[in-house]
Amino acid sequence: MYLLALDKAEVKPILPEGVIGFAVSPDGKYVAASGASDPTDKIYDLSGGPPRPITGLKEREIVAAWGDPPLPLYVGARDGVVVNLFRLDPVTGQRRFWRRLMPSDPAGVRLVADIKIAAEAEAYGYSYYRFLSQLYVAEGFR
């Protein structure tokens, strides 16, 4: 992840090499990120300093979005074609169930992905990948 200073046309890295950011806080000061060498999601302060662990984040959970002001985090884990989302305070680890995402017709759905939540949680959206096929039965061939 890089920061582009438009007035100077300067680009500088804001995360260590190999670390990928995926959720920037609404105030632009923090990013939830992880890397290949340490796949545990952490909070990086973009002004510097060591990353902070996300207290209460469970195995297989991902950070989907930030709340406003930047707490809580919205975190979720896939359970088949369902994603259960929780509001998580990354400092105390307190969590509260928020929404269950599931297409109204789950037939053929393989993955719920691309979860987007507005900062004040007044709107949300997601996409899903569906794979449907047809089976034909042929009879009477010799």
Side-chain angles (χ1 to χ4, degrees), residues 89-109:
D89 182 319
V91 176
T92 66
Q94 290 183 321
R95 64 175 44 230
R96 192 172 77 222
F97 179 77
W98 184 65
R99 293 272 189 282
R100 174 170 287 161
L101 304 181
M102 182 177 83
S104 58
D105 178 6
V109 173

PDB file of all heavy atoms in Angstrom, residues 89-109:
ATOM      1  N   ASP A  89     -14.763  -4.537  19.082  1.00  0.00           N
ATOM      2  CA  ASP A  89     -13.862  -3.508  19.596  1.00  0.00           C
ATOM      3  C   ASP A  89     -12.478  -4.146  19.639  1.00  0.00           C
ATOM      4  O   ASP A  89     -12.255  -5.082  20.418  1.00  0.00           O
ATOM      5  CB  ASP A  89     -14.293  -3.070  20.988  1.00  0.00           C
ATOM      6  CG  ASP A  89     -13.418  -1.962  21.543  1.00  0.00           C
ATOM      7  OD1 ASP A  89     -12.178  -2.021  21.352  1.00  0.00           O
ATOM      8  OD2 ASP A  89     -13.958  -1.049  22.190  1.00  0.00           O
ATOM      9  N   PRO A  90     -11.533  -3.681  18.811  1.00  0.00           N
ATOM     10  CA  PRO A  90     -10.231  -4.342  18.724  1.00  0.00           C
ATOM     11  C   PRO A  90      -9.329  -4.125  19.933  1.00  0.00           C
ATOM     12  O   PRO A  90      -8.287  -4.749  20.048  1.00  0.00           O
ATOM     13  CB  PRO A  90      -9.607  -3.731  17.468  1.00  0.00           C
ATOM     14  CG  PRO A  90     -10.236  -2.394  17.366  1.00  0.00           C
ATOM     15  CD  PRO A  90     -11.630  -2.544  17.898  1.00  0.00           C
ATOM     16  N   VAL A  91      -9.732  -3.244  20.846  1.00  0.00           N
ATOM     17  CA  VAL A  91      -8.941  -3.007  22.050  1.00  0.00           C
ATOM     18  C   VAL A  91      -9.411  -3.923  23.174  1.00  0.00           C
ATOM     19  O   VAL A  91      -8.613  -4.605  23.813  1.00  0.00           O
ATOM     20  CB  VAL A  91      -9.019  -1.524  22.477  1.00  0.00           C
ATOM     21  CG1 VAL A  91      -8.272  -1.293  23.777  1.00  0.00           C
ATOM     22  CG2 VAL A  91      -8.473  -0.634  21.375  1.00  0.00           C
ATOM     23  N   THR A  92     -10.719  -3.980  23.396  1.00  0.00           N
ATOM     24  CA  THR A  92     -11.258  -4.784  24.502  1.00  0.00           C
ATOM     25  C   THR A  92     -11.612  -6.208  24.078  1.00  0.00           C
ATOM     26  O   THR A  92     -11.733  -7.087  24.920  1.00  0.00           O
ATOM     27  CB  THR A  92     -12.524  -4.138  25.082  1.00  0.00           C
ATOM     28  OG1 THR A  92     -13.561  -4.176  24.080  1.00  0.00           O
ATOM     29  CG2 THR A  92     -12.261  -2.708  25.520  1.00  0.00           C
ATOM     30  N   GLY A  93     -11.847  -6.414  22.782  1.00  0.00           N
ATOM     31  CA  GLY A  93     -12.263  -7.725  22.306  1.00  0.00           C
ATOM     32  C   GLY A  93     -13.759  -7.960  22.414  1.00  0.00           C
ATOM     33  O   GLY A  93     -14.254  -9.027  22.062  1.00  0.00           O
ATOM     34  N   GLN A  94     -14.503  -6.969  22.902  1.00  0.00           N
ATOM     35  CA  GLN A  94     -15.957  -7.122  23.007  1.00  0.00           C
ATOM     36  C   GLN A  94     -16.557  -7.178  21.611  1.00  0.00           C
ATOM     37  O   GLN A  94     -16.179  -6.416  20.726  1.00  0.00           O
ATOM     38  CB  GLN A  94     -16.582  -5.976  23.787  1.00  0.00           C
ATOM     39  CG  GLN A  94     -16.249  -6.002  25.250  1.00  0.00           C
ATOM     40  CD  GLN A  94     -16.950  -4.879  25.989  1.00  0.00           C
ATOM     41  OE1 GLN A  94     -17.072  -3.760  25.496  1.00  0.00           O
ATOM     42  NE2 GLN A  94     -17.403  -5.177  27.197  1.00  0.00           N
ATOM     43  N   ARG A  95     -17.502  -8.107  21.443  1.00  0.00           N
ATOM     44  CA  ARG A  95     -18.141  -8.281  20.143  1.00  0.00           C
ATOM     45  C   ARG A  95     -19.639  -8.389  20.317  1.00  0.00           C
ATOM     46  O   ARG A  95     -20.136  -8.822  21.348  1.00  0.00           O
ATOM     47  CB  ARG A  95     -17.592  -9.506  19.425  1.00  0.00           C
ATOM     48  CG  ARG A  95     -17.864 -10.799  20.114  1.00  0.00           C
ATOM     49  CD  ARG A  95     -17.432 -12.054  19.363  1.00  0.00           C
ATOM     50  NE  ARG A  95     -16.133 -11.951  18.770  1.00  0.00           N
ATOM     51  CZ  ARG A  95     -15.867 -12.253  17.488  1.00  0.00           C
ATOM     52  NH1 ARG A  95     -16.805 -12.690  16.699  1.00  0.00           N
ATOM     53  NH2 ARG A  95     -14.659 -12.141  17.002  1.00  0.00           N
ATOM     54  N   ARG A  96     -20.339  -7.990  19.238  1.00  0.00           N
ATOM     55  CA  ARG A  96     -21.801  -8.086  19.213  1.00  0.00           C
ATOM     56  C   ARG A  96     -22.221  -8.488  17.810  1.00  0.00           C
ATOM     57  O   ARG A  96     -21.745  -7.915  16.826  1.00  0.00           O
ATOM     58  CB  ARG A  96     -22.409  -6.747  19.614  1.00  0.00           C
ATOM     59  CG  ARG A  96     -23.890  -6.846  19.901  1.00  0.00           C
ATOM     60  CD  ARG A  96     -24.433  -5.570  20.470  1.00  0.00           C
ATOM     61  NE  ARG A  96     -24.585  -4.612  19.382  1.00  0.00           N
ATOM     62  CZ  ARG A  96     -24.259  -3.338  19.453  1.00  0.00           C
ATOM     63  NH1 ARG A  96     -23.750  -2.832  20.561  1.00  0.00           N
ATOM     64  NH2 ARG A  96     -24.446  -2.533  18.436  1.00  0.00           N
ATOM     65  N   PHE A  97     -23.104  -9.457  17.721  1.00  0.00           N
ATOM     66  CA  PHE A  97     -23.615  -9.888  16.417  1.00  0.00           C
ATOM     67  C   PHE A  97     -24.276  -8.704  15.737  1.00  0.00           C
ATOM     68  O   PHE A  97     -25.023  -7.951  16.358  1.00  0.00           O
ATOM     69  CB  PHE A  97     -24.610 -11.039  16.595  1.00  0.00           C
ATOM     70  CG  PHE A  97     -25.203 -11.509  15.300  1.00  0.00           C
ATOM     71  CD1 PHE A  97     -24.467 -12.305  14.445  1.00  0.00           C
ATOM     72  CD2 PHE A  97     -26.481 -11.148  14.936  1.00  0.00           C
ATOM     73  CE1 PHE A  97     -25.003 -12.739  13.243  1.00  0.00           C
ATOM     74  CE2 PHE A  97     -27.028 -11.578  13.740  1.00  0.00           C
ATOM     75  CZ  PHE A  97     -26.285 -12.376  12.894  1.00  0.00           C
ATOM     76  N   TRP A  98     -24.003  -8.548  14.414  1.00  0.00           N
ATOM     77  CA  TRP A  98     -24.575  -7.427  13.672  1.00  0.00           C
ATOM     78  C   TRP A  98     -25.513  -7.888  12.557  1.00  0.00           C
ATOM     79  O   TRP A  98     -26.663  -7.496  12.502  1.00  0.00           O
ATOM     80  CB  TRP A  98     -23.453  -6.550  13.098  1.00  0.00           C
ATOM     81  CG  TRP A  98     -23.958  -5.327  12.410  1.00  0.00           C
ATOM     82  CD1 TRP A  98     -24.623  -4.283  12.981  1.00  0.00           C
ATOM     83  CD2 TRP A  98     -23.834  -5.018  11.022  1.00  0.00           C
ATOM     84  NE1 TRP A  98     -24.938  -3.341  12.026  1.00  0.00           N
ATOM     85  CE2 TRP A  98     -24.450  -3.774  10.811  1.00  0.00           C
ATOM     86  CE3 TRP A  98     -23.261  -5.679   9.943  1.00  0.00           C
ATOM     87  CZ2 TRP A  98     -24.510  -3.173   9.566  1.00  0.00           C
ATOM     88  CZ3 TRP A  98     -23.316  -5.066   8.702  1.00  0.00           C
ATOM     89  CH2 TRP A  98     -23.938  -3.834   8.528  1.00  0.00           C
ATOM     90  N   ARG A  99     -25.038  -8.724  11.622  1.00  0.00           N
ATOM     91  CA  ARG A  99     -25.858  -9.172  10.492  1.00  0.00           C
ATOM     92  C   ARG A  99     -25.415 -10.555  10.030  1.00  0.00           C
ATOM     93  O   ARG A  99     -24.267 -10.929  10.171  1.00  0.00           O
ATOM     94  CB  ARG A  99     -25.687  -8.255   9.271  1.00  0.00           C
ATOM     95  CG  ARG A  99     -26.198  -6.870   9.400  1.00  0.00           C
ATOM     96  CD  ARG A  99     -27.668  -6.795   8.989  1.00  0.00           C
ATOM     97  NE  ARG A  99     -28.138  -5.441   8.914  1.00  0.00           N
ATOM     98  CZ  ARG A  99     -28.471  -4.695   9.953  1.00  0.00           C
ATOM     99  NH1 ARG A  99     -28.336  -5.145  11.162  1.00  0.00           N
ATOM    100  NH2 ARG A  99     -28.924  -3.467   9.792  1.00  0.00           N
ATOM    101  N   ARG A 100     -26.343 -11.251   9.449  1.00  0.00           N
ATOM    102  CA  ARG A 100     -26.044 -12.507   8.753  1.00  0.00           C
ATOM    103  C   ARG A 100     -26.260 -12.251   7.272  1.00  0.00           C
ATOM    104  O   ARG A 100     -27.348 -11.862   6.851  1.00  0.00           O
ATOM    105  CB  ARG A 100     -26.953 -13.619   9.236  1.00  0.00           C
ATOM    106  CG  ARG A 100     -26.792 -14.903   8.442  1.00  0.00           C
ATOM    107  CD  ARG A 100     -27.514 -16.041   9.073  1.00  0.00           C
ATOM    108  NE  ARG A 100     -26.725 -16.379  10.255  1.00  0.00           N
ATOM    109  CZ  ARG A 100     -27.179 -17.072  11.278  1.00  0.00           C
ATOM    110  NH1 ARG A 100     -28.404 -17.487  11.291  1.00  0.00           N
ATOM    111  NH2 ARG A 100     -26.405 -17.340  12.289  1.00  0.00           N
ATOM    112  N   LEU A 101     -25.205 -12.452   6.477  1.00  0.00           N
ATOM    113  CA  LEU A 101     -25.294 -12.247   5.037  1.00  0.00           C
ATOM    114  C   LEU A 101     -25.473 -13.589   4.354  1.00  0.00           C
ATOM    115  O   LEU A 101     -24.678 -14.508   4.562  1.00  0.00           O
ATOM    116  CB  LEU A 101     -24.030 -11.568   4.506  1.00  0.00           C
ATOM    117  CG  LEU A 101     -23.646 -10.240   5.143  1.00  0.00           C
ATOM    118  CD1 LEU A 101     -22.393  -9.689   4.479  1.00  0.00           C
ATOM    119  CD2 LEU A 101     -24.781  -9.248   5.058  1.00  0.00           C
ATOM    120  N   MET A 102     -26.531 -13.683   3.561  1.00  0.00           N
ATOM    121  CA  MET A 102     -26.800 -14.900   2.813  1.00  0.00           C
ATOM    122  C   MET A 102     -27.730 -14.542   1.666  1.00  0.00           C
ATOM    123  O   MET A 102     -28.735 -13.854   1.876  1.00  0.00           O
ATOM    124  CB  MET A 102     -27.463 -15.946   3.705  1.00  0.00           C
ATOM    125  CG  MET A 102     -27.723 -17.263   2.998  1.00  0.00           C
ATOM    126  SD  MET A 102     -28.417 -18.517   4.091  1.00  0.00           S
ATOM    127  CE  MET A 102     -30.140 -18.067   4.037  1.00  0.00           C
ATOM    128  N   PRO A 103     -27.407 -14.970   0.458  1.00  0.00           N
ATOM    129  CA  PRO A 103     -28.321 -14.696  -0.656  1.00  0.00           C
ATOM    130  C   PRO A 103     -29.699 -15.289  -0.374  1.00  0.00           C
ATOM    131  O   PRO A 103     -29.823 -16.331   0.278  1.00  0.00           O
ATOM    132  CB  PRO A 103     -27.653 -15.398  -1.841  1.00  0.00           C
ATOM    133  CG  PRO A 103     -26.230 -15.556  -1.451  1.00  0.00           C
ATOM    134  CD  PRO A 103     -26.223 -15.698   0.035  1.00  0.00           C
ATOM    135  N   SER A 104     -30.741 -14.629  -0.879  1.00  0.00           N
ATOM    136  CA  SER A 104     -32.100 -15.118  -0.638  1.00  0.00           C
ATOM    137  C   SER A 104     -32.316 -16.496  -1.262  1.00  0.00           C
ATOM    138  O   SER A 104     -33.110 -17.280  -0.769  1.00  0.00           O
ATOM    139  CB  SER A 104     -33.129 -14.122  -1.171  1.00  0.00           C
ATOM    140  OG  SER A 104     -32.920 -13.914  -2.556  1.00  0.00           O
ATOM    141  N   ASP A 105     -31.611 -16.791  -2.340  1.00  0.00           N
ATOM    142  CA  ASP A 105     -31.653 -18.120  -2.944  1.00  0.00           C
ATOM    143  C   ASP A 105     -30.234 -18.688  -2.904  1.00  0.00           C
ATOM    144  O   ASP A 105     -29.409 -18.363  -3.740  1.00  0.00           O
ATOM    145  CB  ASP A 105     -32.149 -18.048  -4.382  1.00  0.00           C
ATOM    146  CG  ASP A 105     -32.152 -19.406  -5.070  1.00  0.00           C
ATOM    147  OD1 ASP A 105     -31.881 -20.429  -4.399  1.00  0.00           O
ATOM    148  OD2 ASP A 105     -32.408 -19.452  -6.278  1.00  0.00           O
ATOM    149  N   PRO A 106     -29.927 -19.528  -1.919  1.00  0.00           N
ATOM    150  CA  PRO A 106     -28.552 -20.016  -1.769  1.00  0.00           C
ATOM    151  C   PRO A 106     -28.168 -21.155  -2.718  1.00  0.00           C
ATOM    152  O   PRO A 106     -27.027 -21.615  -2.670  1.00  0.00           O
ATOM    153  CB  PRO A 106     -28.511 -20.484  -0.311  1.00  0.00           C
ATOM    154  CG  PRO A 106     -29.915 -20.880  -0.012  1.00  0.00           C
ATOM    155  CD  PRO A 106     -30.783 -19.956  -0.817  1.00  0.00           C
ATOM    156  N   ALA A 107     -29.081 -21.565  -3.604  1.00  0.00           N
ATOM    157  CA  ALA A 107     -28.770 -22.680  -4.511  1.00  0.00           C
ATOM    158  C   ALA A 107     -27.547 -22.360  -5.360  1.00  0.00           C
ATOM    159  O   ALA A 107     -27.484 -21.335  -6.019  1.00  0.00           O
ATOM    160  CB  ALA A 107     -29.964 -22.984  -5.417  1.00  0.00           C
ATOM    161  N   GLY A 108     -26.574 -23.224  -5.311  1.00  0.00           N
ATOM    162  CA  GLY A 108     -25.385 -23.083  -6.138  1.00  0.00           C
ATOM    163  C   GLY A 108     -24.382 -22.039  -5.672  1.00  0.00           C
ATOM    164  O   GLY A 108     -23.346 -21.860  -6.295  1.00  0.00           O
ATOM    165  N   VAL A 109     -24.672 -21.339  -4.580  1.00  0.00           N
ATOM    166  CA  VAL A 109     -23.748 -20.311  -4.103  1.00  0.00           C
ATOM    167  C   VAL A 109     -22.524 -20.978  -3.497  1.00  0.00           C
ATOM    168  O   VAL A 109     -22.629 -21.869  -2.671  1.00  0.00           O
ATOM    169  CB  VAL A 109     -24.431 -19.372  -3.081  1.00  0.00           C
ATOM    170  CG1 VAL A 109     -23.424 -18.420  -2.457  1.00  0.00           C
ATOM    171  CG2 VAL A 109     -25.545 -18.599  -3.761  1.00  0.00           C
TER     172      VAL A 109
END
